[in-house]
Amino acid sequence: MALRVFVRGALRGCSLRLPVSRFSHEARPRPGGEELSRLLLDDLAPSRRSAPGLELLFGVSPCSLALRAARRRVARLLLQAGRAGLHGERAELLRVAEARGIPVLWPRRRKLDALCHHQVHQGVCMEVSPLRAQPWTEAQEASPGDDSQRLWLVLEGIQDPRNLGAVLRSAHFLGVDKVITSRRHSCPLTPVVSKASAGAVEVMDVYSADDLAGFLQTKGRQGWLVAGTVGCPGPEIPESPNIPITSCLEFLWEQPTLLVLGNEGSGLSREVQASCQLLLTILPRRQLPAGLESLNVSVAAGILLHAICSQRKEFAA
């Protein structure tokens, strides 16, 4: 008996891994282990395996707007099983999918969670073709025309998909006419971007430009005001003798305008900033400690866009 206790204690502290028989594995399965181990083999395998070139869109609003806009090819709709009936937008999604002959599957929540990498899917996913920014060509629009209150949003190097989605949501809500992004060092229009935008990216025209500085210079020659953005002037952001800095609350929207926002960390590049005719800033309302001198780019975008768009003649207060 003493020997048996000694051996058992020695094995408890040993790192040696003993082989486990098939009988013992089947007799004591891990909770959920069998189902999760079959996940890549069943008909709900990730789209990379089952349908190359597709991605998984998730969330009620992104899926609903993508289905209405019909810009993407929809391979199948996934609705969470086990719910006590479908209502509202989910029921409408099912109706539209069935009317278009789109296959509908009913996975359980654990499978949807795994497919979405535990993003908030709200019980709705769709396998769809990717959405990409359209390459900008000058032939698409050469001059601002007669409308003095036109506003385009230009984004340089926005890399966080949630920031990009939030910016696009504000831009769509506040009435921005077009969105132009830099092709290099910018986040693509991923499903995370769509979810963060509440599906706004599914119905917006988003373009990309190879040479953002050249694009801005061309627009400046065509009569557009190119307004960049910077943090509050201080030791790190001195006043520029060539480009005036103005509070967004003092800006008067009197001509077609391009509002240019920069990267989350570094802001506008030197080339892009040098292409601006004016720099807008958001002034703080208190003394700020080091590290809090600036705003998140999506928050700043909302404030700047509202300050400009509230001057629109038909804007409803």
Side-chain angles (χ1 to χ4, degrees):
M1 180 65 70
L3 178 60
R4 184 181 301 172
V5 173
F6 173 80
V7 172
R8 184 178 300 166
L11 288 176
R12 185 180 296 116
C14 180
S15 61
L16 178 65
R17 302 177 73 95
L18 297 178
V20 180
S21 68
R22 178 175 178 81
F23 175 80
S24 62
H25 175 72
E26 293 177 349
R28 301 182 62 186
R30 290 181 297 138
E34 182 181 356
E35 184 176 10
L36 291 177
S37 66
R38 294 203 316 264
L39 183 60
L40 298 180
L41 302 177
D42 65 13
D43 62 346
L44 292 176
S47 58
R48 291 180 184 175
R49 293 174 63 93
S50 60
L54 298 181
E55 61 187 17
L56 198 68
L57 195 65
F58 56 91
V60 173
S61 290
C63 291
S64 296
L65 290 171
L67 206 55
R68 292 178 206 165
R71 294 180 174 182
R72 301 178 185 258
R73 179 171 66 87
V74 181
R76 54 186 179 176
L77 172 66
L78 283 64
L79 294 172
Q80 182 177 319
R83 295 193 169 209
L86 295 177
H87 306 282
E89 288 188 82
R90 294 178 182 84
E92 179 64 13
L93 270 169
L94 177 60
R95 186 194 67 77
V96 174
E98 290 177 340
R100 295 186 186 177
I102 298 171
V104 180
L105 300 178
W106 300 86
R108 294 192 179 276
R109 179 171 181 173
R110 277 190 301 180
K111 291 190 177 184
L112 276 184
D113 289 345
L115 288 171
C116 294
H117 303 288
H118 299 277
Q119 302 278 0
V120 181
H121 52 71
Q122 301 172 293
V124 177
C125 297
M126 286 198 317
E127 279 191 345
V128 295
S129 58
L131 190 65
R132 295 186 174 89
Q134 305 173 49
W136 174 262
T137 60
E138 204 50 44
Q140 289 167 299
E141 189 158 0
S143 64
D146 298 329
D147 187 0
S148 62
Q149 289 195 323
R150 300 187 64 190
L151 181 63
W152 291 8
L153 180 62
V154 181
L155 306 174
E156 183 190 21
I158 304 297
Q159 297 180 343
D160 187 305
R162 289 177 176 81
N163 278 341
L164 178 57
V167 169
L168 294 177
R169 182 176 185 177
S170 295
H172 186 66
F173 183 88
L174 292 169
V176 168
D177 298 300
K178 278 187 175 64
V179 177
I180 316 290
T181 68
S182 57
R183 190 183 302 276
R184 292 177 295 175
H185 310 302
S186 292
C187 175
L189 303 180
T190 65
V192 176
V193 172
S194 186
K195 184 64 167 66
S197 75
V201 70
E202 304 296 331
V203 296
M204 293 181 68
D205 289 327
V206 180
Y207 300 89
S208 64
D210 288 319
D211 179 12
L212 211 56
F215 166 79
L216 296 175
Q217 292 163 16
T218 298
K219 288 299 172 188
R221 291 191 294 268
Q222 292 173 354
W224 291 78
L225 172 67
V226 182
T229 53
V230 293
C232 180
E236 296 182 357
I237 306 178
E239 291 278 358
S240 171
N242 300 321
I243 309 176
I245 299 178
T246 303
S247 166
C248 64
L249 298 179
E250 298 176 358
F251 173 74
L252 296 178
W253 189 17
E254 299 174 329
Q255 67 184 100
T257 299
L258 303 175
L259 178 67
V260 191
L261 292 171
N263 174 266
E264 290 95 336
S266 56
L268 298 177
S269 66
R270 291 183 180 180
E271 295 79 10
V272 166
Q273 183 167 317
S275 304
C276 297
Q277 304 157 8
L278 175 71
L279 296 175
L280 297 180
T281 189
I282 302 170
L283 297 176
R285 297 304 179 185
R286 61 171 53 176
Q287 290 291 332
L288 297 173
L292 292 179
E293 305 95 339
S294 62
L295 292 168
N296 173 275
V297 65
S298 65
V299 174
I303 295 172
L304 291 161
L305 290 174
H306 187 269
I308 297 173
C309 293
S310 61
Q311 301 178 50
R312 186 168 267 150
K313 297 181 180 69
E314 67 274 17
F315 184 84

